[in-house]
Amino acid sequence: MTIPYAEQLPVRHPALAAADPELAALVGAEERLQAETLRLIPSENYVSPAVLEASGTVLQNKYSEGYPGRRYYEGQQNIDLVEALAVERAKAVFGVEHANVQPYSGSPANLAVHLAFAEPGDTVMGMALPMGGHLTHGWGVSVTGRWFRGVQYGVRRDTGLVDLDQVRELALRERPKVIFCGGTALPRTIDFAAFGEIAREAGAVLVADIAHIAGLVAGGAHPSPVPHVDVVSTTTHKTLRGPRGAMLMSRGEHAKALDKAVFPGLQGGPHNQTTAAIAVALREAGGPSFRDYAHAVVANARALAEELVVRGFDLVSGGTDNHLILIDLTANDVPGKIAAKALDRAGIVVNHNTVPYDTRKPFDPSGIRIGTPSLTSRGLGTAHMAQVADWIDRAVKAAGAGDEDTLRAVRAEVAELMAAFPAPGLPV
Ligand code: DSN
């Protein structure tokens, strides 16, 4: 196997390098890639060195099926305290009565919600995936749309905003057991209060999937769903800047159903090293500098959106309220996938994405999705956003024209700026 840059890599992982040089070189190559590029995928971030260390500890060696004080294995003297710490911190940061920190990731967390509140064949409701929702909110190819009857709402064609009239009409007509709000490509504030009213009217359990915005909620840069919803589902690795994992939170009345659904309903032993890293991330998210981070993410996204609009880009809903921007490239005459690949060659990492009412296929859609969590973690501010927009503009135009020289030139400029803003936990 040829590993890019293998011969130049500094060895930061001596045990790994000695035992498995090939794998160590790949890790080193990834470190270099993450350090040199401008990472704009809105669901990614850079964890702190402390989170990284916690997730690589010997807690990995322990089996702990069950919950603190109620395990199926002995030797939990420390693990129980680790999990209890993570749970206490989740409750404090999000202001909830109950937290389960064991879901392996967002998709199993959402499946556990189905297991807790619905039976196979029951109706569940969520936002359609191509409109900005998530696979696990009842979309047809997911188990949540195959074993349950998924009904789906979208955004309005004229505004790009969630169509709350459609949500109410569907909810009252279809009487779903569970309603999900939130998604993966929603650039605007979610009106949790409005969803709460509709769910109460329809007699449904309301779940806010805040995976994308959890860090913004924790840092006070997005309204909290907690007063309005029954359950909060989130991953821990996006704006919350923790390890790859998830949490389910709720009022006390739903604690038992959720815990039972996660274990033994769906999972076996929790990933204790991840639980520890979640605890560390929550401690960071509860500190004052995280508030600054969350607000800076939003300020950067707003500034970037404005600079993109100035350059003629068509943004779904016209802009953003949060960390995420969805660009419809139809008018640029460059398909999303071609643009995303060209941007990647230019050192700007994004993902191609459907836009609402897309006429193209999901694997080759009309848009790209970008966001500011990662660049904000590296210390870039609003003053840099004109430069970022300019690079995107040049790279998209170059993609259309097949101009590889421009992509190479942008890549060099990106690497130079990123070198001045070291990535947390990565070599300079
Ligand atoms: N893959 C996540 C995202 O990028 O938004 C959702 O599962």
Side-chain angles (χ1 to χ4, degrees):
M1 187 196 301
T2 312
I3 299 162
Y5 314 117
E7 72 290 349
Q8 321 166 22
L9 290 172
V11 175
R12 300 203 321 136
H13 310 285
L16 184 60
D20 191 338
E22 201 176 24
L23 200 281
L26 284 170
V27 172
E30 179 61 20
E31 288 176 340
R32 182 178 167 131
L33 192 66
Q34 290 191 17
E36 284 183 356
T37 51
L38 178 61
R39 299 171 65 233
L40 294 183
I41 293 176
S43 47
E44 293 181 349
N45 214 325
Y46 295 93
V47 296
S48 71
V51 168
L52 205 53
E53 263 182 36
S55 64
T57 53
V58 296
L59 302 182
Q60 151 79 33
N61 296 340
K62 191 76 194 108
Y63 240 118
S64 316
E65 284 185 1
Y67 290 100
R70 292 176 289 131
R71 305 280 191 187
Y72 288 80
Y73 296 77
E74 298 311 316
Q76 308 295 341
Q77 295 84 342
N78 305 308
I79 300 296
D80 273 3
L81 297 178
V82 168
E83 186 167 335
L85 202 53
V87 167
E88 281 316 308
R89 287 177 183 170
K91 283 158 69 171
V93 166
F94 289 97
V96 289
E97 290 174 2
H98 176 67
N100 184 313
V101 297
Q102 293 194 7
Y104 297 145
S105 205
S107 297
N110 286 345
L111 190 54
V113 169
H114 286 75
L115 191 57
F117 300 110
E119 294 295 327
D122 279 348
T123 301
V124 297
M125 184 169 143
M127 180 177 245
L129 181 66
M131 291 279 178
H134 191 257
L135 276 168
T136 57
H137 298 180
W139 188 244
V141 298
S142 151
V143 64
T144 62
R146 291 183 59 181
W147 292 358
F148 300 87
R149 185 176 154 265
V151 294
Q152 308 267 278
Y153 57 87
V155 297
R156 287 175 57 117
R157 197 187 274 272
D158 54 346
T159 60
L161 303 178
V162 173
D163 190 342
L164 287 166
D165 294 336
Q166 187 198 19
V167 173
R168 168 171 276 107
E169 192 232 296
L170 260 182
L172 296 181
R173 191 179 73 216
E174 303 289 347
R175 299 282 167 179
K177 286 274 174 61
V178 182
I179 298 176
F180 281 88
C181 57
T184 59
L186 300 175
R188 295 295 183 176
T189 301
I190 301 166
D191 189 345
F192 296 121
F195 270 99
E197 233 172 73
I198 293 168
R200 277 192 298 279
E201 237 180 287
V205 170
L206 179 61
V207 184
D209 184 338
I210 62 165
H212 265 259
I213 55 169
L216 307 185
V217 171
H222 188 290
S224 168
V226 170
H228 309 289
V229 309
D230 298 290
V231 177
V232 176
S233 169
T234 187
T235 53
T236 46
H237 48 271
K238 298 186 174 89
T239 48
L240 193 57
R241 231 163 42 177
R244 302 195 76 85
M247 305 192 293
L248 288 171
M249 299 177 279
S250 70
R251 288 196 298 275
E253 69 191 90
H254 299 307
K256 212 166 161 189
L258 287 171
D259 284 356
K260 232 174 104 187
V262 173
F263 174 84
L266 203 57
Q267 298 188 172
H271 296 174
N272 296 313
Q273 75 283 6
T274 300
T275 305
I278 289 174
V280 176
L282 288 167
R283 185 185 162 101
E284 291 174 356
S289 65
F290 198 85
R291 286 190 80 78
D292 297 342
Y293 167 68
H295 284 91
V297 167
V298 174
N300 279 342
R302 193 161 293 159
L304 180 55
E306 281 165 13
E307 293 291 346
L308 288 167
V309 167
V310 166
R311 286 160 181 78
F313 282 99
D314 178 10
L315 308 189
V316 171
S317 83
T320 181
D321 297 327
N322 53 31
H323 63 303
L324 181 150
I325 298 164
L326 190 56
I327 308 179
D328 184 346
L329 291 171
T330 306
N332 303 68
D333 213 16
V334 182
K337 197 169 177 179
I338 288 182
K341 288 199 175 300
L343 283 157
D344 196 42
R345 295 201 291 287
I348 299 169
V349 189
V350 308
N351 65 277
H352 59 80
N353 214 95
T354 49
V355 295
Y357 303 99
D358 210 325
T359 50
R360 301 177 65 90
K361 297 258 181 297
F363 198 59
D364 185 17
S366 300
I368 54 173
R369 188 185 68 151
I370 64 174
T372 51
S374 296
L375 66 78
T376 308
S377 290
R378 293 188 70 158
L380 269 64
T382 51
H384 297 105
M385 294 307 115
Q387 174 67 84
V388 172
D390 196 50
W391 283 330
I392 293 171
D393 190 26
R394 283 164 62 197
V396 169
K397 284 184 177 134
D403 175 3
E404 292 298 320
D405 287 346
T406 295
L407 298 180
R408 268 191 294 276
V410 171
R411 188 177 189 100
E413 290 171 33
V414 167
E416 193 183 333
L417 181 71
M418 298 326 283
F421 291 88
L426 294 182
V428 190

